[in-house]
Amino acid sequence: MVIKTEGLTKKYAKLTALDSLDLHIKEGEIFGLLGPNGAGKTTLISMLCTILKPTSGKAWVNGFDIVKEPAKVRKSIGIVFQQPSVDDLLTGRENLAMHNLLFGVPRAIRKQRIDEVLSLVNLEKRADDLVNTYSGGMRRRLELARGIMHHPRILFLDEPTLGLDPQTREHIWEYIVELARKESMTVMLTTHYMEEAEQLCDRIAIIDYGKIVVMDSPQTLKNQIIGDVVKLKQMIPDIEPIRQLDYVKNMQEKEGLLYLSIKDASKHLQDLLTHTGPIDFVEVRSGTLNDVFLHYTGREIREAEAEGGFWERVMKK
Amino acid sequence: MSLLNELEGMYAVWLREAKIYVREKERLISSGVSPLLWIFGFGTGIGANLKYIEGYPYQVFIYPGIVVMAVLFTSLFYGIYIIWDRKLDFLKEVLVAPVSRTSVFAGKVLGGATDAMVQVIFLLIIGLLINIPLKPLIIIEAFLMLLLISVAMVSIGLVIGANLQSPEGFGLVINFVMWPMFFFSNALFTLQNIPAWLTTLIYFNPLTYGVDAVRGIILGINHFPFYIDISVMLVFSVIMMVLGVLSFRRM
């Protein structure tokens, strides 16, 4: 086990951010943490990175105790933060050189490592420009490059593609998968994007209110929430007759809308509508990871929910 | 963690500060302008009425005090960058690195002292131009003494910065540190004929001993013996650095 936690808990004055978490992550796995805001994802990552101390419980990263051997843990891991943390007034190369010094990369291989990661994320040409001339996507790529430069055994990615355009996002995904394979690195990432979790992760855990609600491969999870999703709005809300239908596997009500999980919607739709009474509208689609998420948390992840980016934070404070 | 690792970490933090200082031209320029105003504006104006203090024209008399003032202001205000670093998340990279907070703090102190000492070099050159008696040995001694003062003051700035969340708050707090330290010291006047309450305040102000030492080195005017000056500054620096390391550990 590259990452192992036993009853890991973090409590603040009134809030339990993480509630007795048990987690086992295998070497080489790409593991995704999904959950609404405040679910405890960043708290978990912060503790595993030794930035936060747990209230109780234990955790080992690369075999090192996060409380007793923080320096060894830190040497074993790379982190890409949710907020950009590359230095604006340094060039890309200078940022990487600083990282080499801070993480004790041996002098003889420093230059080679820098060139290696720069070419991996395609930033060779802009390496000697100040970072404040970079686009958002380039900064992310630089952070990724920096995060893996000291060859960590485990890479933590906190919302690696938050606020990026779709193409850049796809590129970053490619880099992550390539890196994980090439360096046989274990990756733990948090995300708000369902496609991200679906495309990248070998296994995902949905966490809510500081607890793991469910944990499995994306495919298994989707299969559990069988088949299709029917979204409809009744003119006279009355869910009792629907509840009794045996082909309705699950039902969620949200903002006056009903979300039904149905094994084979096209077959049962006719019958379903006879039980719903008059409806305003109905929509049928095949199930996605988002429905899995909705099923387990009763909430839908929306992009707008994502914690504020760089500028929002600057403006707010 | 090996010593080499720690030294390299410290060097990395310092190098970043030095590079940014050189790149932000505003910082370089602004740090040169205000001491010049004091020397030429204040010093010439008051000096025209006062004539001589301890055998020196007023402008010459306050020169060491003004140099210390420049060090004081630059060093204390340096603490504000730690707040910005944290706000913009640049500091995270350093805080998660396998380098002790002592080394991170030391790197930051050296970075701030570098800012202040660049300014000192500039003011020493001005000093030569306005006929302050600066011989090579005096320059070296004054430089080292000013470095010690700067280390103490940068540490205060960083202690305050590390414990505050907003740059605005820092501005308020630092004014309550900076101005009393400057005015309740002997930077602009001698310690003769001043009321007892003021004397008491001045004696409790560590900066007084710094100014006294620098004035002793440059002009040969001492109020306290030199060993007292340097002991007070050393002890004060050590206390501030300990507080600084403790504050950095909590970040």
Side-chain angles (χ1 to χ4, degrees), chain A residues 74 83 87 89 99 110, chain B residues 8 16 23 89 93 95:
Chain A
R74 285 174 184 210
Q83 311 295 340
D87 207 318
L89 291 165
H99 186 86
R110 282 178 197 160
Chain B
E8 280 186 342
R16 184 256 172 181
R23 274 170 206 175
D89 276 331
E93 153 81 355
L95 295 183

Side-chain angles (χ1 to χ4, degrees), chain B residues 33-116:
Chain B
V33 172
S34 84
L36 287 185
L37 281 174
W38 281 89
I39 293 178
F40 291 108
F42 192 78
T44 315
I46 303 272
N49 295 324
L50 262 179
K51 304 299 179 205
Y52 291 91
I53 290 188
E54 304 252 354
Y56 288 102
Y58 187 66
Q59 197 183 47
V60 175
F61 174 79
I62 62 163
Y63 173 80
I66 297 303
V67 179
V68 173
M69 180 204 80
V71 168
L72 171 76
F73 288 11
T74 308
S75 304
L76 283 178
F77 263 111
Y78 177 78
I80 203 166
Y81 296 114
I82 198 90
I83 298 180
W84 280 113
D85 283 357
R86 223 164 9 154
K87 251 180 155 25
L88 305 181
D89 276 331
F90 300 144
L91 201 62
K92 249 192 206 163
E93 153 81 355
V94 177
L95 295 183
V96 298
V99 168
S100 76
R101 290 293 158 85
T102 310
S103 302
V104 175
F105 178 75
K108 283 276 175 191
V109 168
L110 288 179
T114 304
D115 287 20

Side-chain angles (χ1 to χ4, degrees), chain A residues 127-270:
Chain A
D128 295 307
D129 295 343
L130 289 182
V131 171
N132 61 20
T133 64
Y134 284 21
S135 69
M138 291 168 68
R139 277 169 205 239
R140 277 282 161 197
R141 270 145 60 198
L142 181 64
E143 294 225 25
L144 261 183
R146 189 178 68 177
I148 54 153
M149 199 173 51
H150 56 289
H151 288 189
R153 300 302 311 134
I154 302 128
L155 181 64
F156 290 97
L157 303 165
D158 196 4
E159 303 280 353
T161 62
L162 187 70
L164 297 181
D165 60 76
Q167 288 104 313
T168 315
R169 225 193 288 169
E170 296 245 347
H171 273 132
I172 301 262
W173 292 346
E174 281 167 29
Y175 292 130
I176 293 173
V177 173
E178 197 184 328
L179 285 173
R181 253 186 234 130
K182 222 169 147 184
E183 315 281 350
S184 72
M185 229 170 21
T186 309
V187 180
M188 184 177 204
L189 62 92
T190 72
T191 182
H192 273 90
Y193 300 117
M194 292 301 144
E195 324 95 272
E196 188 159 284
E198 249 181 295
Q199 285 216 8
L200 283 178
C201 298
D202 301 317
R203 217 152 49 109
I204 59 172
I206 291 178
I207 77 175
D208 203 7
Y209 299 112
K211 287 190 166 175
I212 292 183
V213 183
V214 66
M215 176 158 62
D216 221 317
S217 74
Q219 199 49 50
T220 316
L221 286 176
K222 271 200 298 183
N223 291 345
Q224 278 171 6
I225 306 303
I226 304 151
D228 304 322
V229 174
V230 176
K231 181 165 128 187
L232 59 81
K233 188 173 185 186
Q234 291 173 296
M235 288 176 82
I236 309 143
D238 178 17
I239 57 173
E240 274 319 306
I242 307 171
R243 203 188 285 279
Q244 278 151 31
L245 300 172
D246 60 347
Y247 52 81
V248 175
K249 292 289 171 197
N250 182 50
M251 180 160 67
Q252 295 266 342
E253 196 178 356
K254 206 177 136 225
E255 288 158 17
L257 291 172
L258 282 180
Y259 294 81
L260 312 173
S261 304
I262 292 175
K263 188 164 191 171
D264 195 348
S266 52
K267 205 162 103 192
H268 298 294
L269 191 60
Q270 187 92 56

